[in-house]
Amino acid sequence: MSVPARRPRASIFFFDGWISISVSVVGAATELLARGYDVDLFFNRPQGELPSADLPAGIALHEYVPWTRRLTGKLLSRLRRRKLEELSKITADDNVRKKSARLRALAKAVLGLIEIPQFALYCRRHARKTDLAIAFDMNSLVAMDFALPRATPFIYWSLEIWRLTDLADPFSRAVKRHEIRRLGQALAVVVQSPVRRAIIEEDLPAPLPNYVEVPNAPSVPMPASLQRDFYSRRFPIPPGAWVVLHSGFISTSLMSLEIAKSVPSWPEEFVLVFHERQPRDPQEPYLRAVQQAGGARTFLSLKPVPFAEVDNVYAGAHIGLVCYQTAEVNEATAWASSGKLVYYLRHGLPIIVIMPECPPILSECRCGEWVSDFDGIGPALARIAADYDSYAARARATYDKLFNFHGAFDRLMQAVGHG
């Protein structure tokens, strides 16, 4: 009696843990499973509650809850409440925003110093013989190198990018130096666009020889049926109104309050919806400030949906907003790896990008409008509405041309010799 051949095993490491909103992580796991791999997915449980990712059977989920989060949940909740009370008073003061960003970076570094070793040890205890590993970002790379033999073939997949000079604390700099040393040893280094590849290469002695571009896009086809009335059933939106959507965090880093303040100056037929990626209390001071600033034409959608239903979030809108008003390199180039931008285009939503410089995707594909400040949003909405069908057609064409995850993953697997 012949013994069945062992299926190859892939191990994916995702320290940040936001699986239900991380289309690249879900896509990589799903594509590997479809190619005959057994898949182990190691991840941290993120702070707060998230909807289920609903991954296929055959993908083994290994979720770790850091003891720091178990012990400090209530304390962090109180600190978050205090922080939100302070943030509710923040306007467009760039100095305040930069100071807040530095404090967030320091807090993230301290948590990393405590939690990365915990996660790495957990992965080592549960990892099995692996034929191919994928590490998402530099924290996961540290965990992977501790969990698996150093000779394990691996792919490094960059979702966040940091220059060495951007990192002030010694621990983060050490993790970044580890990333720099290992990039040349990876079978492939995945980045979403040439602009972000160029940033990674600034810290390298030579260009990446093993670069593969894979968009941060969903791997699953569009659902057969969609809820076009997703927002009009939930909110008193006037019939015939244009729904302008900003999906993702409602926060100072994404300038939510400044966006809301611009709504009263928009043409009256437009309404704004903020859709959150995690549950939020509408009584949070910052959310109250956003609601008050936006007035009756601003709606806060604070109940996220499971991953399988995410397309409904975008099907109910007409135009999408993307805002990155920061000098921080990871966020300033985030339009090139933005999940929300990809979903907007997937549904044919023209986009308005608010950032200091016009991103290439708009100048080259003309799938929306670029504005450098919030006063420009209203006129941009009017321009799109005046020629909506053309903008929408270019949005769909841009998605088809640039954001084919399945095809890009095929190229990745061929590049690493696992095609």
Side-chain angles (χ1 to χ4, degrees), residues 115-148:
E115 293 182 356
I116 292 175
Q118 297 179 55
F119 180 63
L121 183 59
Y122 171 81
C123 294
R124 182 164 183 159
R125 288 172 175 167
H126 294 83
R128 292 176 275 189
K129 180 177 173 56
T130 296
D131 300 284
L132 179 65
I134 301 179
F136 281 89
D137 292 325
M138 59 187 191
N139 293 343
S140 302
L141 183 60
V142 173
M144 183 200 78
D145 278 345
F146 186 75
L148 299 177

Side-chain angles (χ1 to χ4, degrees), residues 20-23 216 218 222-223 226-231 234 243-249 273-277 301 305-322 324 338-351 388 396 399:
S20 64
I21 56 173
S22 299
V23 291
N216 189 35
M222 189 83 78
L226 293 166
Q227 298 178 19
R228 303 291 179 184
D229 60 349
F230 185 81
Y231 297 113
R234 288 164 171 77
V243 176
V244 181
L245 174 64
H246 185 282
S247 64
F249 275 146
V273 174
F274 287 103
H275 180 80
E276 255 286 358
R277 68 182 193 177
S301 178
V305 300
F307 186 84
E309 300 176 22
V310 165
D311 279 291
N312 290 321
V313 169
Y314 299 87
H318 301 96
I319 297 171
L321 288 182
V322 180
Y324 295 107
S338 169
K340 76 182 86 177
L341 183 149
V342 172
Y343 268 101
Y344 292 152
L345 299 177
R346 174 177 166 94
H347 286 268
L349 305 188
I351 56 176
Y388 186 81
R396 293 188 184 91
Y399 178 83

Side-chain angles (χ1 to χ4, degrees), residues 30 36 50 119 129 144 152 257 261 284 347 357 412:
T30 305
L50 285 178
F119 180 63
K129 180 177 173 56
M144 183 200 78
T152 302
L257 182 57
K261 286 181 176 179
E284 291 177 10
H347 286 268
E357 298 181 359
L412 170 63

Side-chain angles (χ1 to χ4, degrees), residues 37 46 58 72 76-77 95 121-122 128-129 145 148 157 201 213 216-217 220 223 252 264 288 295 305 332 354 374 406:
Y37 284 83
T72 62
L76 289 175
S77 178
N95 289 327
L121 183 59
Y122 171 81
R128 292 176 275 189
K129 180 177 173 56
D145 278 345
L148 299 177
W157 199 308
E201 291 179 338
E213 191 171 310
N216 189 35
V220 295
T252 55
R288 291 205 311 267
V305 300
I354 311 151
F374 302 99
H406 179 78

Side-chain angles (χ1 to χ4, degrees), residues 215-275:
N216 189 35
S219 62
V220 295
M222 189 83 78
S225 60
L226 293 166
Q227 298 178 19
R228 303 291 179 184
D229 60 349
F230 185 81
Y231 297 113
S232 60
R233 287 192 295 111
R234 288 164 171 77
F235 303 110
I237 295 176
W242 295 76
V243 176
V244 181
L245 174 64
H246 185 282
S247 64
F249 275 146
I250 304 173
S251 70
T252 55
S253 62
L254 296 182
M255 313 289 284
S256 303
L257 182 57
E258 287 72 28
I259 292 173
K261 286 181 176 179
S262 73
V263 173
S265 66
W266 292 4
E268 63 181 13
E269 63 269 28
F270 293 91
V271 301
L272 171 64
V273 174
F274 287 103
H275 180 80

Side-chain angles (χ1 to χ4, degrees), residues 64-80:
Y64 179 66
V65 183
W67 62 262
T68 45
R69 299 182 189 181
R70 292 196 296 263
L71 293 177
T72 62
K74 292 184 178 179
L75 175 60
L76 289 175
S77 178
R78 291 177 183 175
L79 290 174
R80 185 169 181 267

